[in-house]
Structures are given as structure tokens and as C-alpha cells.
Amino acid sequence: MKIIIAGAYAIGTHLAQMLSRNNDDITLIDEDEERLSRIGSDYDLLTMNASPVSVKALRDADAQHTDLFIAVTPDQSKNINSCIMAKALGAKRTAAKVDDAEHLSPEMQQFFEKLGVSSLIYPELLAAKDIINGLKMSWVRQRLEIHDGALVMLGIKLRESCTILNRPLRELCGPEDPYHIVAIKRGSETIIPGGNDELKLYDQAYFMTTRQYIPYIREIVGKEKYADVKNVMFMGGGATAVRAIKMLPEYMDAKILEMSSKRCEELNNKLENDKTLIINGDGRDIPLLMEEGIKNTQAFVALTGNAETNILACLTAKRLGVRKTVAMVENLDYVSMAESLDIGTIINKKAIAASHIYQMMLNATVVSVHFLTSVNADVAEFIPKEGSKVTQKPVKDLGLPKGMTIGGLVRNGEGMLVSGMTQIKAGDSVMVFCHNMNMKKIEKMFI
């Protein structure tokens, strides 16, 4: 596949590095030679120092024969215009990063598609969805639902109260049991477990289950005493915070701590119809936190543009008794540090956006792809075609590659866990967990 990426910023470079392992023909365009030089020679891709809205540059990059053109510069207009031009030259599909939520309405998306923009990516909205998913369950680090909850994946930190530690998984996750463990994060290591593996204290375990068994999972991991989130305190009033607050469930109340008085005025206008209190102040200021009721707050969400600030603020909130913390950490080098400090949920916009774009590269058998930053793994939903490899034999005889496991499937709207004897059928929605693997190799099993 031939891919052109316009913009060697956070999302573009992360995506280029992520895609280079697939042996695709990748060209990265940027107007700043210094940004291009930071990519390094370790990745198999071409770089071009040029403007993405130059017809000559697009032709030189061979946009006319491109399968996917992705524009992820900080300039929304430049992204949209370069996609329109690439499509006019012959690119098959285009994707543009935008920073205006109005563009995401169905009418506007149809409008842009007619102009030549196949897909619009709004990273702040994608990140906000992940934040809300985390807030809905205070005892869960990561949560992912398939088919409106027919299948659910829960990432949970295991504490002393967990009742299933130090036992082989073959005793815990049999064909009749209501959950499977699809991955374990232990320190810096990601484990795709087998029957002899055991859960250990302080592991982060990823459970696959169905909606009705979520209370059971909560019981066996010893999280029943965790209070549900009703009051949320946000630090940083940027676009991600605004999108998250607009998506908050009715039963949650929110406060925003924002240092800029000008931004506070803007937030009051943006959120005038929402039950949100805007406070001009620093989320690391302990007297301020105490004054604003941190002791009665169940969740603290740090969304400033500075990873260190977010991590420190979350640590302060935890010290003051907040159990659920969420930190925006855009520098991937800080992710493992944040986890080692026991920050609850880590949000990385560039990884979330890259996963969304990555899905566009894959066959129509792939319904969705979610990148899990903490375990460097993907969770993907595949729909196998008639006669595909995964439909030929029971799961135990498929010879699944190392680093891949099938967690469950949805058939006729009903979620089912997968055992070795499960026979996957064409048309099933199959949830695959894969660590450090080329997604295209997995895709071939479903075509």
C-alpha cells in the first residue's frame, strides 16, 4: 500500500513509525527539514521537505497513485485543502485532522466527502471518549465496549483484595467461566498468557467478559468498595476537557481548574448550558483543591499540555484521597513513568488518533482498532469472510501466532467468550488482542 502523510508533528511521526513496520510505501511530507530529521534512519520511509498544499510536491510524492493520503498538520485548513488536492490528483482515500467539532456533524462530513475528504479526525473527541469510558467505572483503568457492551474489555490493576491471584489461569478461565484474561502488564513486560500463567499482585490484567458479568469481575478483583464517580475535577480547560464535559453522564458534576483568566471567560461561554463550575486557579495548589472540595471528589482529570504537570497534579490528587486519576501524557517516553507512579488512566491523543487512522489502511473486515498505550498492543474487531482461515477449524487448531489471542465474539448481537473448541463463523464480530504484531498478517486470517 502506498501512503502519504502530511505533517511531521506528533501524530504524523507516531503514525509513520507505526506504519513503517508493515513494509508499506510511506512518504512523509513536511515544510520543516529539522522535524523530518528527527524521524531518524531506523524507519523504512521516505521524507520530503515541501508544502502539502503544493500541487508539484503532491505530484512528486506520487499522490496520483496513493492508496491513502493523511493530513495531520496543526493547520486545519491546510489539512482539508491538501486532502482535496490529493483526491483530485487521484488518491483513493484521504483523511484530515480537524480542530472544529462542527465539522463532525453528518451533514458536514457528507459535504467534505463530496469535496474529496474521505474521513475527518478530531483527536480531542477521540480522547474525550476514552476519558468518559474510564470515568464511568472508577475501579477500571481501561474499558472498551463492542456492540454496545455485548462484549467488554476491562483493564484492572490488581491489589491485595483480589481473590484470584497466584493461581494458574487454566483453573480460572475455563470454557464455562464468565471471563478470559487476554493480557497481563507486569512491570514493563506485556504477557499474552497461557494456561500456566498466574496473576500477580500489582499486575494490570485485561479481562474479556460480557455485560452481565461486570459485577462479578468487580467482586473477584476486590473493587466493590470503590466509590462510583459523581464529582469530577478537571485541570486544564482545553478542547479535550470541553469535549469530555459535554459527554459527561447526567449524574456527574464537574469543576474545571484553569490558570488563564481569559480562557475561563471562554469556557463560561462554551459551557454556559452545562452544570460545570469554572475556577481560575492551579490544579496543583493544595489549599485551592481543599477549598474546592477535593475530599468529596471521586475523579481528577489532568489535561494540560504539559505531561509532567499532569502527572504531578494526579499524584497530588491521589495523596489527598482521590482514587480515580486520569492524565494526558503526550510524550510516550513518560507513559511508563506515569504507570510506575500508579496514575490510573493514561491518555495519549496521538496514539489514539493514529489507531483511528490505522484502521483506514486495513481491509473492510476490520471494524475498529484501538491502541492500548500502556501495553503497546492493539485490540481489533474483525468480521471474517466466508471461507477465511479462521472459519476452517476450531480456535485450538488455528495455530494462532505468538502475541495474538482471540478474546471473544459477537454473534447475532450476543456476546460470547471464545474457548479452544469455539468454531468461528463468517459474519461474527471477533475481538482480537495482539501485542507487537503486524496487523496485516492477522488480517489475512479473516479474508
Side-chain angles (χ1 to χ4, degrees), residues 302-321:
L303 301 177
T304 77
N306 186 290
E308 296 100 320
T309 298
N310 294 338
I311 292 168
L312 286 171
C314 283
L315 289 174
T316 301
K318 287 182 78 71
R319 198 175 76 190
L320 295 173

Side-chain angles (χ1 to χ4, degrees), residues 336-351:
S336 59
M337 180 183 74
E339 288 175 341
S340 68
L341 294 170
D342 213 19
I343 304 298
T345 300
I346 309 299
I347 299 294
N348 184 283
K349 283 190 297 185
K350 67 182 178 185

Side-chain angles (χ1 to χ4, degrees), residues 15-210:
L15 187 63
Q17 291 165 3
M18 187 170 142
L19 298 180
S20 65
R21 67 189 183 195
N22 291 344
N23 299 318
D24 289 305
D25 180 0
I26 301 167
T27 302
L28 180 62
I29 300 176
D30 197 275
E31 295 175 79
D32 190 315
E33 199 162 356
E34 185 179 343
R35 278 195 296 270
L36 291 173
S37 67
R38 294 185 198 133
I39 299 294
S41 57
D42 295 336
Y43 300 98
D44 185 16
L45 53 86
L46 295 173
T47 58
M48 179 182 289
N49 182 207
S51 169
V53 289
S54 161
V55 174
K56 181 180 184 304
L58 292 176
R59 281 182 172 149
D60 289 345
D62 204 20
Q64 52 271 37
H65 299 113
T66 292
D67 297 292
L68 180 59
F69 180 90
I70 305 160
V72 285
T73 78
D75 187 329
Q76 174 181 268
S77 298
K78 188 175 288 185
N79 294 337
I80 291 171
N81 288 334
S82 62
C83 282
I84 293 170
M85 294 165 69
K87 185 72 173 180
L89 287 171
K92 292 180 182 176
R93 286 183 296 168
T94 63
K97 182 177 85 69
V98 298
D99 51 25
D100 189 340
E102 292 181 4
H103 291 344
L104 300 181
S105 68
E107 297 82 7
M108 290 300 289
Q109 289 194 55
Q110 288 177 11
F111 170 76
F112 281 113
E113 191 165 357
K114 288 178 182 176
L115 291 177
V117 186
S118 312
S119 181
L120 297 169
I121 302 125
Y122 186 31
E124 287 74 16
L125 178 62
L126 298 173
K129 287 179 179 178
D130 275 15
I131 291 166
I132 297 302
N133 271 340
L135 293 179
K136 284 179 179 177
M137 290 185 184
S138 62
W139 51 281
V140 169
R141 293 280 176 106
Q142 286 181 299
R143 172 171 160 261
L144 180 63
E145 292 189 352
I146 297 294
H147 285 260
D148 295 322
L151 268 182
V152 184
M153 189 203 73
L154 305 172
I156 303 170
K157 185 83 168 184
L158 305 182
R159 307 287 186 182
E160 290 84 351
S161 54
C162 180
T163 63
I164 55 173
L165 299 177
N166 306 315
R167 293 170 58 189
L169 293 185
R170 64 175 179 274
E171 296 179 7
L172 302 173
C173 308
E176 304 304 317
D177 290 298
Y179 66 90
H180 286 165
I181 307 294
V182 293
I184 300 168
K185 179 69 181 296
R186 182 172 297 154
S188 59
E189 181 185 10
T190 296
I191 302 167
I192 303 296
N196 294 323
D197 286 299
E198 300 178 355
L199 296 174
K200 300 293 185 183
L201 186 63
Y202 304 129
D203 281 352
Q204 184 157 314
Y206 288 80
F207 292 74
M208 192 72 69
T209 189
T210 52

Side-chain angles (χ1 to χ4, degrees), residues 149-439:
L151 268 182
V152 184
M153 189 203 73
L154 305 172
I156 303 170
K157 185 83 168 184
L158 305 182
R159 307 287 186 182
E160 290 84 351
S161 54
C162 180
T163 63
I164 55 173
L165 299 177
N166 306 315
R167 293 170 58 189
L169 293 185
R170 64 175 179 274
E171 296 179 7
L172 302 173
C173 308
E176 304 304 317
D177 290 298
Y179 66 90
H180 286 165
I181 307 294
V182 293
I184 300 168
K185 179 69 181 296
R186 182 172 297 154
S188 59
E189 181 185 10
T190 296
I191 302 167
I192 303 296
N196 294 323
D197 286 299
E198 300 178 355
L199 296 174
K200 300 293 185 183
L201 186 63
Y202 304 129
D203 281 352
Q204 184 157 314
Y206 288 80
F207 292 74
M208 192 72 69
T209 189
T210 52
R211 186 192 290 112
Q212 66 267 36
Y213 289 109
I214 291 175
Y216 175 73
I217 302 296
R218 186 173 187 172
E219 179 185 347
I220 63 175
V221 297
K223 304 283 187 178
E224 291 175 296
K225 294 182 180 179
Y226 276 60
D228 292 330
V229 175
K230 293 182 180 178
N231 297 306
V232 189
M233 199 172 280
F234 287 83
M235 176 182 170
T240 304
V242 170
R243 299 316 308 173
I245 285 168
K246 286 182 176 293
M247 296 166 65
L248 276 178
E250 282 293 320
Y251 61 86
M252 290 187 194
D253 291 318
K255 293 180 180 180
I256 298 180
L257 300 171
E258 169 57 50
M259 292 184 67
S260 166
S261 55
K262 181 182 178 183
R263 180 59 179 170
C264 285
E265 291 177 15
E266 293 172 356
L267 290 170
N268 275 316
N269 293 328
K270 287 178 181 290
L271 301 170
E272 59 183 349
N273 297 322
D274 296 89
K275 49 180 184 178
T276 304
L277 181 62
I278 316 297
I279 300 153
N280 184 204
D282 188 341
R284 295 164 295 180
D285 183 342
I286 293 178
L288 176 63
L289 292 174
M290 296 297 287
E291 182 182 334
E292 295 301 333
I294 191 74
K295 293 288 186 181
N296 298 314
T297 298
Q298 295 82 39
F300 185 90
V301 184
L303 301 177
T304 77
N306 186 290
E308 296 100 320
T309 298
N310 294 338
I311 292 168
L312 286 171
C314 283
L315 289 174
T316 301
K318 287 182 78 71
R319 198 175 76 190
L320 295 173
V322 179
R323 273 196 157 160
K324 180 72 178 183
T325 56
V326 179
M328 180 91 78
V329 181
E330 285 300 277
N331 188 332
L332 287 171
D333 295 334
Y334 288 147
V335 169
S336 59
M337 180 183 74
E339 288 175 341
S340 68
L341 294 170
D342 213 19
I343 304 298
T345 300
I346 309 299
I347 299 294
N348 184 283
K349 283 190 297 185
K350 67 182 178 185
I352 295 169
S355 292
H356 186 78
I357 298 167
Y358 188 60
Q359 182 183 328
M360 296 182 66
M361 295 176 43
L362 302 169
N363 191 281
T365 56
V366 186
V367 178
S368 63
V369 178
H370 298 270
F371 179 71
L372 305 178
T373 307
S374 59
V375 284
N376 189 29
D378 296 294
V379 181
E381 182 186 356
F382 288 87
I383 299 179
K385 292 184 177 178
E386 195 73 49
S388 59
K389 182 179 177 181
V390 295
T391 64
Q392 300 298 308
K393 300 174 184 177
V395 169
K396 68 181 178 64
D397 298 325
L398 289 175
L400 298 179
K402 185 179 179 182
M404 170 188 173
T405 187
I406 297 175
L409 59 85
V410 179
R411 182 177 294 163
N412 300 322
E414 183 180 352
M416 304 165 51
L417 297 177
V418 169
S419 70
M421 297 306 296
T422 300
Q423 181 72 54
I424 295 171
K425 297 180 180 179
D428 288 345
S429 291
V430 183
M431 207 164 180
V432 175
F433 195 102
C434 47
H435 169 59
N436 201 24
M437 291 191 65
N438 184 330
M439 190 71 74

